[in-house]
PDB file of all heavy atoms in Angstrom:
ATOM      1  N   SER A   6      -4.645  83.415  -1.477  1.00 41.00           N
ATOM      2  CA  SER A   6      -3.177  83.329  -1.698  1.00 41.00           C
ATOM      3  C   SER A   6      -2.543  82.508  -0.689  1.00 41.00           C
ATOM      4  O   SER A   6      -2.725  82.646   0.533  1.00 41.00           O
ATOM      5  CB  SER A   6      -2.625  84.781  -1.650  1.00 41.00           C
ATOM      6  OG  SER A   6      -1.221  84.764  -1.495  1.00 41.00           O
ATOM      7  N   ALA A  50      13.350  73.282   0.218  1.00 96.00           N
ATOM      8  CA  ALA A  50      13.622  74.750   0.269  1.00 96.00           C
ATOM      9  C   ALA A  50      14.012  75.111   1.691  1.00 96.00           C
ATOM     10  O   ALA A  50      13.235  74.764   2.621  1.00 96.00           O
ATOM     11  CB  ALA A  50      12.453  75.478  -0.263  1.00 96.00           C
ATOM     12  N   VAL A  52      14.204  77.391   4.929  1.00 97.00           N
ATOM     13  CA  VAL A  52      13.392  78.419   5.606  1.00 97.00           C
ATOM     14  C   VAL A  52      14.442  79.272   6.334  1.00 97.00           C
ATOM     15  O   VAL A  52      14.703  79.096   7.536  1.00 97.00           O
ATOM     16  CB  VAL A  52      12.433  77.827   6.555  1.00 97.00           C
ATOM     17  CG1 VAL A  52      11.466  78.874   7.188  1.00 97.00           C
ATOM     18  CG2 VAL A  52      11.514  76.732   5.884  1.00 97.00           C
ATOM     19  N   GLY A  96      -5.847  70.925  -1.639  1.00 97.00           N
ATOM     20  CA  GLY A  96      -4.664  71.190  -0.849  1.00 97.00           C
ATOM     21  C   GLY A  96      -4.764  70.674   0.605  1.00 97.00           C
ATOM     22  O   GLY A  96      -5.948  70.169   1.001  1.00 97.00           O
ATOM     23  N   TYR A 100      -0.961  74.219  10.463  1.00 97.00           N
ATOM     24  CA  TYR A 100      -0.416  75.403  11.136  1.00 97.00           C
ATOM     25  C   TYR A 100      -0.510  75.196  12.597  1.00 97.00           C
ATOM     26  O   TYR A 100      -1.564  74.763  13.061  1.00 97.00           O
ATOM     27  CB  TYR A 100      -1.228  76.648  10.715  1.00 97.00           C
ATOM     28  CG  TYR A 100      -1.102  76.997   9.264  1.00 97.00           C
ATOM     29  CD1 TYR A 100      -2.107  76.534   8.336  1.00 97.00           C
ATOM     30  CD2 TYR A 100      -0.094  77.807   8.791  1.00 97.00           C
ATOM     31  CE1 TYR A 100      -2.044  76.869   7.084  1.00 97.00           C
ATOM     32  CE2 TYR A 100       0.002  78.065   7.414  1.00 97.00           C
ATOM     33  CZ  TYR A 100      -0.993  77.662   6.558  1.00 97.00           C
ATOM     34  OH  TYR A 100      -0.845  77.956   5.281  1.00 97.00           O
ATOM     35  N   TYR A 129       8.927  82.455   6.042  1.00 97.00           N
ATOM     36  CA  TYR A 129       8.103  81.559   5.256  1.00 97.00           C
ATOM     37  C   TYR A 129       8.766  81.411   3.868  1.00 97.00           C
ATOM     38  O   TYR A 129       9.441  82.294   3.364  1.00 97.00           O
ATOM     39  CB  TYR A 129       6.738  82.190   5.026  1.00 97.00           C
ATOM     40  CG  TYR A 129       6.075  82.600   6.338  1.00 97.00           C
ATOM     41  CD1 TYR A 129       6.220  83.940   6.765  1.00 97.00           C
ATOM     42  CD2 TYR A 129       5.293  81.703   7.063  1.00 97.00           C
ATOM     43  CE1 TYR A 129       5.626  84.320   7.943  1.00 97.00           C
ATOM     44  CE2 TYR A 129       4.743  82.105   8.259  1.00 97.00           C
ATOM     45  CZ  TYR A 129       4.915  83.374   8.727  1.00 97.00           C
ATOM     46  OH  TYR A 129       4.403  83.796   9.936  1.00 97.00           O
TER      47      TYR A 129
END
Side-chain angles (χ1 to χ4, degrees):
S6 163
V52 183
Y100 297 95
Y129 309 91

